[in-house]
Amino acid sequence: MAAAFITFEGIDGSGKSTQLRMLAGELAQRNLEVVTTREPGGTPLGARLRHALLDAEAEVDPLAELLLYAADRAQHVRTFIRPHLLAGRIVISDRYTDATVAYQGAGRGLPTNLINQVVQLATDGLRPDLTLIFDLGVEQGRLRQTRRTAHGANKADRLDMEDAAFHTRVREAYQEIARAEPERVRIIDAGGTIAETHLRVMRVVELFLAERKSGVGSQESE
Ligand code: TMP
């Protein structure tokens, strides 16, 4: 099986992390070599950057924020993602560059050319083969986050605390990315149950893997 780089994206509360675990479990059962990871925080250095980035008490300037996500990603691409792809594995990452375009670009309003330059520098041009964007209403996402926080499953982080207008810009940016790159990006309706969303994910990923196997639409990861 050829290497593949798959990324999961979506607004906070979209349920993508649960779906990522379910997909990875399903692929591993089929004897595919899968590794899962996330941004920020996919490496030991990244875990420290994640802590700094998401600290609800911290004041972080937008440019500093962009560069910290980029530092996390440079370390991640060079020490984790590329080596696993070169070893022929399927790498599934919970967030990658589209999050920077959506959050720091549309959310914070940093200029597109700056975002593109920084993304290019951090990734050295490594792009996902397939990206799933988990889409649901901002209010629904907030409700899910609030419920999780109330159950102690996670704490509201610095970006969760942004207002609805911020999260609406992020959601719209993701939808725009999907329109602009239909070969790479698929929107997954994340408004239903976990099981329903999982079925939608499996349909898209099975098609993607079958196409890669037969060489239809296959692209190199690098
Ligand atoms: P998570 O809660 O999905 O793990 O993501 C952590 C937060 O970091 C989430 O609110 C989105 C944000 N983020 C950015 O703002 N820019 C980025 O480049 C990445 C990877 C994440």
Side-chain angles (χ1 to χ4, degrees), residues 12 16 39-40 50 54 69 73 94-96 99-100 103-104 157 159:
D12 298 282
K16 63 183 168 41
E39 287 193 1
R50 182 181 177 93
L54 299 184
Y69 280 112
R73 183 163 303 133
D94 191 341
R95 296 196 188 279
Y96 189 60
T100 303
Y103 283 80
Q104 280 65 54
D157 65 41
L159 285 104

Side-chain angles (χ1 to χ4, degrees), residues 9-12 16-17 38-40 50 53-54 65 69-70 72-73 94-104 108 145 154 157-160 166-167 174:
E9 299 277 1
I11 59 165
D12 298 282
K16 63 183 168 41
S17 309
R38 69 173 176 178
E39 287 193 1
R50 182 181 177 93
L53 272 163
L54 299 184
E65 181 180 90
Y69 280 112
D72 169 76
R73 183 163 303 133
D94 191 341
R95 296 196 188 279
Y96 189 60
T97 51
D98 297 313
T100 303
V101 173
Y103 283 80
Q104 280 65 54
R108 298 278 185 235
Q145 283 288 84
N154 65 7
D157 65 41
R158 203 171 48 81
L159 285 104
D160 293 336
F166 177 94
H167 290 287
Y174 275 133

Side-chain angles (χ1 to χ4, degrees), residues 42-198:
T43 62
L45 171 64
R48 293 160 73 178
L49 293 173
R50 182 181 177 93
H51 186 72
L53 272 163
L54 299 184
D55 179 355
E57 309 287 308
E59 261 188 49
V60 185
D61 171 82
L63 178 62
E65 181 180 90
L66 172 68
L67 296 174
L68 284 169
Y69 280 112
D72 169 76
R73 183 163 303 133
Q75 181 81 2
H76 194 207
V77 166
R78 285 156 179 264
T79 67
F80 188 93
I81 302 175
R82 260 191 212 282
H84 281 297
L85 290 174
L86 287 172
R89 303 192 179 104
I90 298 174
V91 177
I92 314 177
S93 183
D94 191 341
R95 296 196 188 279
Y96 189 60
T97 51
D98 297 313
T100 303
V101 173
Y103 283 80
Q104 280 65 54
R108 298 278 185 235
L110 289 175
T112 307
N113 62 344
L114 173 66
I115 300 279
N116 291 343
Q117 277 173 10
V118 170
V119 161
Q120 172 65 27
L121 187 67
T123 61
D124 198 19
L126 178 69
R127 290 158 50 83
D129 299 299
L130 174 69
T131 296
L132 304 187
I133 292 178
F134 292 81
D135 185 58
L136 88 168
V138 166
E139 268 317 302
Q140 216 180 335
R142 274 185 171 260
L143 265 175
R144 286 190 188 171
Q145 283 288 84
T146 314
R147 246 180 267 140
R148 262 189 261 163
T149 310
H151 285 114
N154 65 7
K155 270 186 21 211
D157 65 41
R158 203 171 48 81
L159 285 104
D160 293 336
M161 287 156 57
E162 289 293 337
D163 63 13
F166 177 94
H167 290 287
T168 301
R169 290 198 296 281
V170 170
R171 182 187 185 199
E172 286 170 357
Y174 275 133
Q175 290 170 341
E176 181 54 41
I177 291 168
R179 273 194 295 275
E181 292 185 72
E183 317 78 42
R184 169 176 73 90
V185 182
R186 301 279 183 285
I187 293 266
I188 301 283
D189 175 355
T193 64
I194 290 176
E196 282 163 355
T197 307
H198 178 60

